[in-house]
């Protein structure tokens, strides 16, 4: 009877989803369920009755795994929209548009009817953006962008189908030429991240990738997707 109780107690602390876990599988899955609902660490701690530091530790490793997966899954072919956006500090007076001071620049590629891929960049120069495009986008891809000069020369690189809309001329669509999809993602990501009221610069990348992941699987059961990911490769 004593032996049975000991084995039972041990089993409740086993966790197939996390190596060297200090919480039970049941409690970890509750945490993942609450995370999938997009609750923050304070809310998860209160609802799960887990220590806040414990919650933060697990959220960090979950976001790290999500970021790793997002780097693998990138849109490569078909029809894509490209654009860059600015996150973070408020605009400094006199600094407008691209290159606004104090902001983090993010470049995005969205495959129409598919997923989005994002990358933090040091600037929005032609060389920086073209280097990413060449590494992520197949030459046969149809590319849609706005009129930013950083996208000049894509045809010279071998991308024969590059269509543009010129926002500066109040043009937002020309037939199939538009970037409404990637702009929809920017709106989603900024609205979602605003609830944190400021994110540490070192953590921004992981929150950005989490937004990317949630957007890509917004029509699916994120909880079940995460469990399958952790089942196939347990967290460390």
């Amino acid at each position: 009877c004593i032996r049975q109780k000991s084995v039972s107690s041990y089993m409740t602390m086993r966790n197939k989803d996390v190596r060297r876990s200090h919480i039970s599988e049941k409690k970890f899955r509750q945490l993942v369920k609450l995370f999938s609902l997009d609750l923050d660490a304070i809310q998860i701690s209160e609802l799960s009755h887990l220590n806040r530091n414990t919650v933060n530790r697990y959220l960090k490793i979950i976001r790290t795994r999500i970021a790793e997966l997002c780097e693998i899954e990138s849109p490569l072919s078909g029809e894509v929209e490209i654009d860059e956006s600015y996150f973070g500090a408020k605009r400094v007076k006199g600094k407008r548009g691209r290159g606004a001071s104090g902001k983090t620049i993010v470049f995005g590629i969205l495959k129409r009817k598919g997923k989005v891929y994002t990358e933090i960049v040091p600037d929005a120069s032609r060389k920086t953006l073209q280097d990413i495009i060449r590494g992520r986008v197949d030459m046969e891809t149809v590319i849609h962008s706005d009129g930013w000069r950083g996208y000049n020369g894509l045809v010279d690189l071998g991308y024969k189908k590059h269509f543009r809309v010129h926002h500066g001329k109040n043009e937002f669509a020309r037939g199939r030429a538009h970037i409404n999809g990637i702009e929809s993602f920017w709106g989603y990501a900024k609205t979602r991240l605003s609830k944190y009221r400021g994110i540490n610069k070192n953590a921004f990348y992981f929150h950005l990738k989490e937004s990317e992941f949630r957007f890509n699987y917004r029509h699916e059961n994120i909880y079940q997707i995460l469990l399958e990911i952790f089942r196939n490769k347990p967290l460390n």
Side-chain angles (χ1 to χ4, degrees), residues 51-107:
N51 179 275
R52 174 80 179 280
N53 290 335
T54 299
V55 170
N56 280 327
R57 173 179 174 269
Y58 281 101
L59 293 187
K60 183 177 180 179
I61 59 177
I62 288 171
R63 288 184 175 120
T64 299
R65 175 60 56 81
I66 286 174
E68 291 170 356
L69 291 168
C70 288
E71 293 296 346
I72 296 170
E73 295 185 335
S74 61
L76 297 175
S77 60
E79 199 164 3
V80 304
E81 300 173 18
I82 59 175
D83 191 31
E84 77 295 343
S85 193
Y86 298 78
F87 290 74
K90 293 180 179 179
R91 294 188 186 279
V92 175
K93 190 173 182 180
K95 297 284 187 177
R96 295 179 175 274
R98 289 172 166 94
S101 178
K103 288 183 173 284
T104 299
I105 311 171
V106 180
F107 177 63

Side-chain angles (χ1 to χ4, degrees), residues 127-211:
K127 182 182 185 310
T128 296
L129 301 183
Q130 286 189 357
D131 283 348
I132 298 172
I133 293 167
R134 282 191 295 182
R136 293 283 178 177
V137 181
D138 186 88
M139 283 293 175
E140 300 303 314
T141 301
V142 177
I143 298 177
H144 299 271
S145 76
D146 62 14
W148 172 237
R149 63 178 178 269
Y151 304 125
N152 293 347
L154 289 180
V155 172
D156 295 333
L157 287 179
Y159 294 98
K160 295 186 172 76
K161 296 180 180 179
H162 178 203
F163 302 100
R164 310 177 82 153
V165 290
H166 296 276
H167 291 171
K169 299 177 181 178
N170 290 323
E171 181 183 64
F172 295 93
R174 187 194 302 158
R176 289 183 57 80
H178 64 78
I179 55 171
N180 296 341
I182 186 68
E183 288 183 334
S184 174
F185 169 72
W186 296 137
Y188 163 80
K190 288 180 179 181
T191 298
R192 184 181 170 274
L193 295 179
S194 67
K195 71 181 183 180
Y196 293 100
R197 299 180 182 180
I199 297 173
N200 183 286
K201 194 168 184 179
N202 295 328
F204 175 75
Y205 166 77
F206 297 101
H207 284 278
L208 174 68
K209 286 298 177 181
E210 181 188 345
S211 295

Side-chain angles (χ1 to χ4, degrees), residues 9-70:
S9 176
Y10 168 74
M11 290 296 290
T12 61
M13 290 304 295
R14 287 187 61 193
N15 192 331
K16 293 180 289 186
D17 304 313
V18 186
R19 295 190 181 96
R20 299 183 297 278
S21 175
H22 297 294
I23 61 175
S24 69
E25 184 176 314
K26 181 179 179 180
K27 186 60 73 172
F28 174 74
R29 293 194 174 192
Q30 182 188 15
L31 185 153
V32 174
K33 181 70 173 179
L34 296 172
F35 172 81
S36 70
L37 296 174
D38 209 4
L39 302 184
D40 61 30
I42 295 174
Q43 293 169 313
I44 293 173
S45 177
E46 290 175 349
L47 292 170
S48 66
H49 304 294
L50 286 169
N51 179 275
R52 174 80 179 280
N53 290 335
T54 299
V55 170
N56 280 327
R57 173 179 174 269
Y58 281 101
L59 293 187
K60 183 177 180 179
I61 59 177
I62 288 171
R63 288 184 175 120
T64 299
R65 175 60 56 81
I66 286 174
E68 291 170 356
L69 291 168
C70 288

